[in-house]
Amino acid sequence: MHTIETFQNESEDGKTVHNTFNVYGGSVIFAATAPHVTQHIYGNHISTLPTVTPEEAEEVSRLTKEELKLFRYIPNVASLHEFIAQIELCDSAHDVALLAWRRLDNVFITRENIVTAEFIESLHPFIRQIKTGTSTDNLRCHINKFMVEKKA
């Protein structure tokens, strides 16, 4: 991903200043040389990432791309594999939603993010037996129903 942002400002001494930022992905550090700097960062959520011990790092490095997306919500490799195995055995979207809802006690799965497209879509690669009814919206409806019924 490549982003170019150009800003034109007038400095305190009346000169026009052009600032161009080229962002090519990865980590970006802005080292400002201006007399004052204002940085605005916008996003749709704050990321809470699990910490991994050096012993766990090797196990985590063997996870697939799909497993890593779900690892953000279940930051224990053994629990993650157990959860994935349970999802793969589900026969309906209702069952998948119930499994997800039961994980609400997990620090990384909250009432706010359990119904986000990002979380629900991280389940999709492991829903293999179910042919219909597994859209993000349908799974979200089932999860919401559990949250209302069970007052999670």
Side-chain angles (χ1 to χ4, degrees):
M1 181 176 130
H2 178 236
T3 304
I4 300 175
E5 293 287 336
T6 303
F7 301 96
Q8 181 176 337
N9 299 323
E10 190 171 313
S11 66
E12 292 174 8
D13 60 357
K15 294 180 183 176
T16 302
V17 178
H18 296 276
N19 295 307
T20 302
F21 300 97
N22 293 303
V23 180
Y24 295 94
S27 299
V28 178
I29 298 173
F30 292 103
T33 58
H36 68 281
V37 175
T38 304
Q39 183 178 16
H40 300 277
I41 299 175
Y42 301 96
N44 63 354
H45 67 281
I46 295 173
S47 179
T48 305
L49 298 174
T51 57
V52 178
T53 65
E55 296 79 30
E56 296 170 321
E58 187 176 330
E59 287 183 68
V60 172
S61 68
R62 288 187 284 225
L63 295 175
T64 66
K65 189 166 120 177
E66 291 81 15
E67 290 171 331
L68 280 172
K69 287 180 183 176
L70 195 52
F71 180 76
R72 174 177 174 205
Y73 302 100
I74 304 173
N76 176 289
V77 176
S79 294
L80 175 70
H81 286 141
E82 177 187 333
F83 184 63
I84 289 170
Q86 290 171 339
I87 290 174
E88 289 174 338
L89 295 174
C90 287
D91 293 325
S92 68
H94 178 271
D95 295 342
V96 173
L98 180 60
L99 276 175
W101 176 79
R102 286 183 175 158
R103 290 289 174 148
L104 268 176
D105 61 345
N106 180 319
V107 172
F108 297 97
I109 300 177
T110 64
R111 291 180 61 79
E112 291 77 28
N113 70 15
I114 194 170
V115 291
T116 63
E118 186 177 350
F119 172 75
I120 295 170
E121 289 168 2
S122 72
L123 304 175
H124 283 142
F126 310 107
I127 303 173
R128 296 190 175 116
Q129 281 190 202
I130 309 166
K131 301 299 177 202
T132 61
T134 59
S135 70
T136 300
D137 289 337
N138 190 44
L139 286 170
R140 181 182 292 121
C141 286
H142 283 289
I143 293 169
N144 277 326
K145 199 179 337 176
F146 284 119
M147 288 180 28
V148 169
E149 289 174 3
K150 310 292 185 187
K151 305 240 189 290

